[in-house]
Amino acid sequence: MSRINPEAQRRLHSQESRVSSRGEARSNRARAKWMRRGGWDYWAARALLVACTGAVSYTLGPFGLRGLGAASVGLVMALAVLLAELRLREAALSGLLGGAIGTVLGVFAALLVTLVISRTDGPEATKSFLEFAALFAFGYLGLVLGSRRGAELHVDGLEGFFGKKFARGESVKLLDTSVLIDGRIADICDAQFLEGILAVPQFVLHELQMVADSSDSLKRQRGRRGLEVLQRMQKMPQVELRVSEEDIPRAGDVDHKLIELARRMGAKIVTNDFNLNKVATVQGLSVLNVNQLAHALKPAVLPGEAMRVLILREGKEANQGVAYLDDGTMVVVDGARRMINRSVDVIVTSVHQTTAGKMIFGRLEERTEQAAPALRQAAAAGRGEGSGSARFDATSRVEPGTRGSEQGAPERQARPIFPEPEAE
């Protein structure tokens, strides 16, 4: 069981508390900013509208009402206007423009019908009913059909007139959270392979901030990496990076918001998310996938080509060696089992594409195969010479002693060990 140093534990808790305090401070600042921008002035305007409508209705007394009854009619009308404002402020500019055009066309159609009805013989009450019914019916149909078909209108010029940041003709690419966390988009931009405007929607930036403020250390590290990649891209002089303030409240999650925003702006989506790529492609949007780009940039290898690889380990089959290219492609080399941890020249024999990726099969080049036995013979010869010299040294060390013993042998034989007594 692992134990954590109390000092390290105290530092860890202090870091987490600082992260949570920073997240709370950011949320408080965002809430205060919303109150300053969209809170007090709008609520004051709405209160003024309700008060003015109630006062005018109380003074004029419509429908023969007096006092509180007349004021109630004004308040009901003001509430209807406020509900319409809450509904219309979430609509796109194309929908508003289409609804307005449809309503005008419906009123003109009702006017033509009214002219026809006025020339007919009939009771005045019936003709008045038909005229009002035609006005309401054609006006409603024009509003609904115009707002539904408004997405087909080209309103780029009007969006620029109303303060749209991205003008018509600009190539805009929306960055997803996954591509910022991945980080390779910064290298692509540094190599100047992306042109046009790179836009980061506000909801994508908010999601990246939520990941960076997560209690999970892995998610927090990924979120901070995404923010660092974004800061790095902002410092590149050749990259035009913007933050889009436009939001899609009715779209739901971030992926649907990104798809809807790309459809409205006519932009491309830059992502690594497989599901987002498929959904956006099905809906007819252009998607730039960094993983597909990396797969397309892998070098094409044909049978018969030569390459030099480093054999790292043994293969599954007998006498096989395995190497890897810089992009991770596996190279299986026949007859290279004895060449582990060596760089060898290989001739490609076949290339197979599998679900896991590309596999290259090859064999050792002829000069490599011829050089291997020569190296083994040289190594064997070196070992043989070393053993022979050792034997020669041992013999040379023994021979002097042997010769000395042979020369001294007659002297020892001439001396009697037990001398005989002299004869008297």
Side-chain angles (χ1 to χ4, degrees), residues 18-73:
R18 284 198 299 271
V19 170
S20 59
S21 63
R22 285 199 299 269
E24 294 177 357
R26 292 193 189 98
S27 61
N28 294 331
R29 287 197 300 270
R31 192 180 299 109
K33 185 177 180 181
W34 177 84
M35 290 295 292
R36 288 195 303 269
R37 287 187 175 182
W40 298 112
D41 51 355
Y42 282 102
W43 284 112
R46 290 163 185 162
L48 182 61
L49 173 65
V50 173
C52 291
T53 308
V56 170
S57 181
Y58 180 83
T59 304
L60 298 179
F63 304 107
L65 300 175
R66 298 295 177 185
L68 295 178
S72 301
V73 173

Coordinates of all heavy atoms in Angstrom, one line a residue, residues 18-73:
R18 N -6.9 25.7 -5.2 CA -6.6 26.9 -6.1 C -7.4 26.7 -7.4 O -7.9 27.7 -8.0 CB -5.1 27.1 -6.3 CG -4.4 27.6 -5.1 CD -3.0 28.2 -5.6 NE -2.2 27.1 -6.1 CZ -1.4 26.4 -5.4 NH1 -1.3 26.6 -4.1 NH2 -0.6 25.5 -6.0
V19 N -7.4 25.5 -8.0 CA -8.1 25.3 -9.2 C -9.6 25.5 -9.1 O -10.2 26.1 -9.9 CB -7.8 23.8 -9.7 CG1 -8.7 23.5 -10.9 CG2 -6.4 23.7 -10.1
S20 N -10.2 25.0 -7.9 CA -11.6 25.2 -7.7 C -11.9 26.6 -7.5 O -12.9 27.2 -8.0 CB -12.1 24.3 -6.5 OG -11.3 24.7 -5.4
S21 N -11.0 27.3 -6.8 CA -11.3 28.8 -6.5 C -11.2 29.6 -7.8 O -12.0 30.5 -8.1 CB -10.3 29.3 -5.5 OG -9.0 29.2 -6.0
R22 N -10.3 29.2 -8.7 CA -10.2 29.9 -10.0 C -11.4 29.6 -10.8 O -11.9 30.5 -11.5 CB -8.9 29.4 -10.7 CG -7.6 30.0 -10.2 CD -6.5 29.9 -11.2 NE -6.3 28.5 -11.6 CZ -5.4 27.7 -11.0 NH1 -4.6 28.2 -10.0 NH2 -5.2 26.5 -11.4
G23 N -11.9 28.4 -10.8 CA -13.1 28.1 -11.6 C -14.3 28.9 -11.0 O -15.1 29.4 -11.8
E24 N -14.5 28.9 -9.7 CA -15.6 29.7 -9.1 C -15.4 31.2 -9.5 O -16.4 31.9 -9.7 CB -15.6 29.5 -7.6 CG -16.0 28.1 -7.2 CD -15.9 27.9 -5.7 OE1 -15.6 28.9 -5.0 OE2 -16.2 26.8 -5.2
A25 N -14.2 31.7 -9.4 CA -14.0 33.1 -9.8 C -14.4 33.4 -11.2 O -15.0 34.4 -11.5 CB -12.5 33.5 -9.5
R26 N -14.0 32.5 -12.1 CA -14.4 32.6 -13.5 C -15.9 32.6 -13.7 O -16.4 33.4 -14.5 CB -13.7 31.5 -14.4 CG -12.2 31.6 -14.5 CD -11.7 30.7 -15.6 NE -10.3 30.6 -15.6 CZ -9.6 29.6 -15.1 NH1 -10.3 28.6 -14.5 NH2 -8.3 29.5 -15.1
S27 N -16.6 31.7 -13.1 CA -18.0 31.7 -13.2 C -18.7 32.9 -12.6 O -19.7 33.4 -13.2 CB -18.6 30.4 -12.5 OG -18.2 30.4 -11.1
N28 N -18.1 33.4 -11.5 CA -18.7 34.6 -10.9 C -18.5 35.8 -11.8 O -19.4 36.7 -12.0 CB -18.1 34.9 -9.6 CG -18.5 33.8 -8.5 OD1 -19.6 33.3 -8.6 ND2 -17.6 33.6 -7.5
R29 N -17.3 35.9 -12.5 CA -17.1 37.0 -13.4 C -18.0 36.9 -14.6 O -18.5 37.9 -15.1 CB -15.6 37.0 -13.8 CG -14.6 37.5 -12.7 CD -13.3 37.8 -13.4 NE -12.7 36.7 -14.0 CZ -11.8 35.8 -13.4 NH1 -11.5 36.0 -12.2 NH2 -11.3 34.8 -14.1
A30 N -18.2 35.7 -15.1 CA -19.1 35.5 -16.3 C -20.5 35.9 -15.9 O -21.2 36.5 -16.7 CB -19.0 34.1 -16.8
R31 N -20.9 35.5 -14.7 CA -22.3 35.9 -14.3 C -22.4 37.4 -14.1 O -23.4 38.0 -14.5 CB -22.6 35.2 -13.0 CG -24.1 35.2 -12.6 CD -24.4 34.5 -11.3 NE -24.0 33.1 -11.4 CZ -23.0 32.6 -10.7 NH1 -22.2 33.3 -10.0 NH2 -22.7 31.3 -10.9
A32 N -21.4 38.0 -13.5 CA -21.5 39.5 -13.4 C -21.5 40.2 -14.8 O -22.2 41.2 -15.0 CB -20.3 40.0 -12.5
K33 N -20.7 39.6 -15.7 CA -20.6 40.2 -17.0 C -22.0 40.0 -17.7 O -22.4 41.0 -18.4 CB -19.5 39.5 -17.8 CG -19.3 40.0 -19.2 CD -18.2 39.3 -19.9 CE -17.9 39.8 -21.3 NZ -16.8 39.1 -22.0
W34 N -22.6 38.9 -17.5 CA -24.0 38.7 -18.1 C -24.9 39.7 -17.5 O -25.8 40.3 -18.2 CB -24.4 37.3 -17.9 CG -25.8 37.1 -18.4 CD1 -26.2 36.8 -19.7 CD2 -27.0 37.1 -17.7 NE1 -27.5 36.6 -19.8 CE2 -28.1 36.9 -18.6 CE3 -27.3 37.4 -16.4 CZ2 -29.4 36.8 -18.2 CZ3 -28.7 37.4 -16.0 CH2 -29.7 37.1 -16.9
M35 N -24.9 39.9 -16.2 CA -25.8 40.9 -15.6 C -25.6 42.3 -16.1 O -26.5 43.1 -16.3 CB -25.6 40.8 -14.1 CG -26.1 39.6 -13.4 SD -27.8 39.3 -13.6 CE -28.4 40.6 -12.5
R36 N -24.3 42.6 -16.4 CA -24.0 44.0 -16.9 C -24.5 44.1 -18.3 O -25.0 45.2 -18.7 CB -22.5 44.3 -16.7 CG -22.0 44.5 -15.3 CD -20.7 45.1 -15.4 NE -19.7 44.3 -16.1 CZ -18.9 43.4 -15.6 NH1 -19.0 43.1 -14.3 NH2 -18.1 42.7 -16.3
R37 N -24.2 43.1 -19.1 CA -24.5 43.2 -20.5 C -26.0 43.0 -20.9 O -26.6 43.8 -21.5 CB -23.7 42.3 -21.4 CG -22.2 42.6 -21.5 CD -21.5 41.7 -22.4 NE -20.1 42.1 -22.6 CZ -19.3 41.5 -23.4 NH1 -19.7 40.5 -24.1 NH2 -18.1 42.0 -23.6
G38 N -26.5 41.9 -20.4 CA -27.9 41.5 -20.9 C -28.9 41.5 -19.8 O -30.0 41.0 -19.9
G39 N -28.6 42.0 -18.6 CA -29.5 42.0 -17.5 C -30.3 43.2 -17.2 O -31.5 43.3 -17.6
W40 N -29.6 44.2 -16.7 CA -30.4 45.4 -16.2 C -31.0 46.2 -17.3 O -32.2 46.6 -17.2 CB -29.4 46.3 -15.4 CG -28.9 45.6 -14.2 CD1 -27.6 45.2 -13.9 CD2 -29.6 45.2 -13.0 NE1 -27.5 44.6 -12.7 CE2 -28.7 44.6 -12.1 CE3 -31.0 45.3 -12.6 CZ2 -29.1 44.1 -10.9 CZ3 -31.4 44.8 -11.4 CH2 -30.4 44.2 -10.6
D41 N -30.3 46.5 -18.4 CA -30.9 47.3 -19.4 C -32.1 46.7 -20.1 O -33.1 47.3 -20.4 CB -29.8 47.7 -20.5 CG -29.0 46.4 -21.0 OD1 -29.3 45.3 -20.4 OD2 -28.2 46.5 -21.9
Y42 N -32.0 45.3 -20.3 CA -33.1 44.7 -21.0 C -34.3 44.6 -20.0 O -35.5 44.8 -20.5 CB -32.7 43.3 -21.4 CG -31.9 43.2 -22.7 CD1 -30.5 43.0 -22.7 CD2 -32.5 43.4 -23.9 CE1 -29.8 43.0 -23.9 CE2 -31.8 43.4 -25.1 CZ -30.5 43.2 -25.1 OH -29.8 43.2 -26.2
W43 N -34.1 44.3 -18.8 CA -35.2 44.3 -17.8 C -35.8 45.6 -17.6 O -37.0 45.8 -17.5 CB -34.7 43.7 -16.5 CG -34.6 42.2 -16.5 CD1 -33.4 41.5 -16.4 CD2 -35.6 41.2 -16.6 NE1 -33.6 40.2 -16.5 CE2 -35.0 40.0 -16.6 CE3 -37.0 41.3 -16.8 CZ2 -35.7 38.8 -16.7 CZ3 -37.7 40.1 -16.9 CH2 -37.0 38.9 -16.9
A44 N -35.0 46.7 -17.7 CA -35.6 48.0 -17.6 C -36.4 48.4 -18.8 O -37.5 49.0 -18.7 CB -34.4 49.0 -17.4
A45 N -36.0 48.0 -20.0 CA -36.7 48.2 -21.2 C -38.1 47.4 -21.2 O -39.1 47.9 -21.6 CB -35.9 47.8 -22.4
R46 N -38.0 46.2 -20.7 CA -39.2 45.4 -20.6 C -40.2 46.0 -19.6 O -41.5 46.1 -19.8 CB -38.9 44.0 -20.2 CG -38.2 43.2 -21.3 CD -37.5 42.0 -20.8 NE -36.7 41.3 -21.8 CZ -35.8 40.4 -21.6 NH1 -35.5 40.1 -20.3 NH2 -35.1 39.9 -22.5
A47 N -39.7 46.4 -18.4 CA -40.6 47.1 -17.5 C -41.2 48.3 -18.0 O -42.4 48.6 -17.7 CB -39.8 47.3 -16.2
L48 N -40.4 49.1 -18.7 CA -41.0 50.3 -19.3 C -42.0 50.0 -20.4 O -43.1 50.7 -20.4 CB -39.8 51.1 -20.0 CG -40.2 52.5 -20.6 CD1 -40.7 53.4 -19.6 CD2 -39.0 53.1 -21.3
L49 N -41.8 49.0 -21.2 CA -42.9 48.6 -22.1 C -44.2 48.2 -21.5 O -45.3 48.6 -21.9 CB -42.3 47.4 -23.0 CG -43.3 46.7 -23.9 CD1 -43.8 47.7 -25.0 CD2 -42.8 45.5 -24.5
V50 N -44.1 47.4 -20.4 CA -45.3 46.9 -19.7 C -46.0 48.1 -19.0 O -47.2 48.3 -19.1 CB -44.9 45.9 -18.6 CG1 -46.1 45.6 -17.7 CG2 -44.4 44.6 -19.3
A51 N -45.2 49.0 -18.4 CA -45.8 50.2 -17.8 C -46.5 51.1 -18.8 O -47.6 51.6 -18.6 CB -44.8 51.0 -17.0
C52 N -45.8 51.4 -19.9 CA -46.4 52.3 -21.0 C -47.6 51.7 -21.6 O -48.7 52.4 -21.8 CB -45.3 52.6 -22.0 SG -44.0 53.6 -21.5
T53 N -47.6 50.4 -21.9 CA -48.8 49.7 -22.5 C -50.0 49.7 -21.5 O -51.1 50.0 -21.9 CB -48.4 48.3 -22.9 OG1 -47.3 48.3 -23.7 CG2 -49.6 47.6 -23.6
G54 N -49.7 49.4 -20.2 CA -50.8 49.5 -19.3 C -51.4 50.9 -19.1 O -52.6 51.1 -19.0
A55 N -50.5 51.9 -19.1 CA -50.9 53.3 -18.9 C -51.8 53.8 -20.1 O -52.8 54.4 -19.9 CB -49.7 54.2 -18.7
V56 N -51.3 53.4 -21.3 CA -52.1 53.8 -22.5 C -53.4 53.1 -22.6 O -54.5 53.8 -22.9 CB -51.2 53.5 -23.8 CG1 -52.1 53.7 -25.0 CG2 -50.0 54.4 -23.8
S57 N -53.5 51.9 -22.2 CA -54.7 51.1 -22.2 C -55.7 51.7 -21.1 O -56.9 51.8 -21.3 CB -54.5 49.6 -22.0 OG -55.7 48.9 -22.1
Y58 N -55.1 52.0 -20.0 CA -55.9 52.6 -18.9 C -56.5 53.9 -19.3 O -57.7 54.2 -19.0 CB -55.1 52.7 -17.7 CG -55.8 53.2 -16.5 CD1 -56.6 52.4 -15.7 CD2 -55.7 54.6 -16.1 CE1 -57.3 52.9 -14.6 CE2 -56.4 55.1 -15.0 CZ -57.2 54.3 -14.3 OH -57.8 54.8 -13.2
T59 N -55.8 54.7 -20.0 CA -56.2 56.0 -20.4 C -57.3 56.0 -21.6 O -58.3 56.6 -21.5 CB -55.0 56.9 -20.9 OG1 -54.1 56.9 -19.8 CG2 -55.5 58.3 -21.2
L60 N -57.0 55.2 -22.6 CA -57.9 55.1 -23.7 C -59.1 54.2 -23.5 O -60.2 54.5 -24.1 CB -57.1 54.6 -25.0 CG -55.9 55.5 -25.4 CD1 -55.2 54.9 -26.6 CD2 -56.4 56.9 -25.7
G61 N -59.0 53.2 -22.7 CA -60.2 52.4 -22.4 C -60.7 51.6 -23.6 O -61.8 51.9 -24.1
P62 N -59.9 50.7 -24.2 CA -60.3 50.0 -25.4 C -61.4 49.0 -25.1 O -61.6 48.5 -23.9 CB -59.1 49.3 -25.9 CG -58.3 49.1 -24.6 CD -58.6 50.3 -23.8
F63 N -62.3 48.6 -26.1 CA -63.3 47.6 -26.0 C -64.4 48.1 -25.0 O -65.1 47.2 -24.4 CB -62.8 46.3 -25.6 CG -61.8 45.7 -26.6 CD1 -60.4 45.7 -26.2 CD2 -62.1 45.3 -27.9 CE1 -59.5 45.2 -27.1 CE2 -61.1 44.9 -28.7 CZ -59.8 44.8 -28.3
G64 N -64.5 49.4 -24.7 CA -65.5 49.9 -23.8 C -65.2 49.6 -22.4 O -66.0 49.7 -21.5
L65 N -63.9 49.2 -22.1 CA -63.5 48.9 -20.7 C -63.0 50.1 -20.0 O -62.4 51.0 -20.6 CB -62.5 47.8 -20.7 CG -62.9 46.4 -21.3 CD1 -61.8 45.5 -21.3 CD2 -64.1 45.8 -20.5
R66 N -63.1 50.1 -18.7 CA -62.6 51.3 -17.9 C -61.8 50.8 -16.7 O -62.0 49.6 -16.2 CB -63.7 52.2 -17.4 CG -64.6 52.8 -18.5 CD -63.7 53.8 -19.3 NE -64.5 54.4 -20.4 CZ -64.0 55.2 -21.3 NH1 -62.7 55.5 -21.3 NH2 -64.7 55.6 -22.3
G67 N -60.9 51.6 -16.2 CA -60.2 51.3 -15.0 C -59.2 50.1 -15.1 O -58.5 50.0 -16.1
L68 N -59.3 49.2 -14.2 CA -58.4 48.0 -14.1 C -58.6 47.1 -15.3 O -57.7 46.4 -15.8 CB -58.6 47.3 -12.8 CG -58.2 48.0 -11.5 CD1 -58.4 47.2 -10.3 CD2 -56.7 48.4 -11.6
G69 N -59.9 47.0 -15.8 CA -60.1 46.1 -16.9 C -59.4 46.6 -18.2 O -58.8 45.7 -18.9
A70 N -59.3 47.9 -18.4 CA -58.6 48.4 -19.6 C -57.1 48.2 -19.4 O -56.4 47.9 -20.3 CB -59.0 49.9 -19.8
A71 N -56.6 48.4 -18.1 CA -55.2 48.3 -17.8 C -54.8 46.8 -18.0 O -53.7 46.5 -18.5 CB -54.9 48.7 -16.4
S72 N -55.7 45.9 -17.7 CA -55.4 44.4 -17.8 C -55.2 44.1 -19.3 O -54.3 43.2 -19.6 CB -56.5 43.6 -17.2 OG -56.6 43.9 -15.8
V73 N -56.0 44.7 -20.2 CA -55.8 44.4 -21.6 C -54.5 44.8 -22.1 O -53.8 44.1 -22.8 CB -57.0 45.1 -22.4 CG1 -56.7 45.0 -23.9 CG2 -58.3 44.5 -22.0

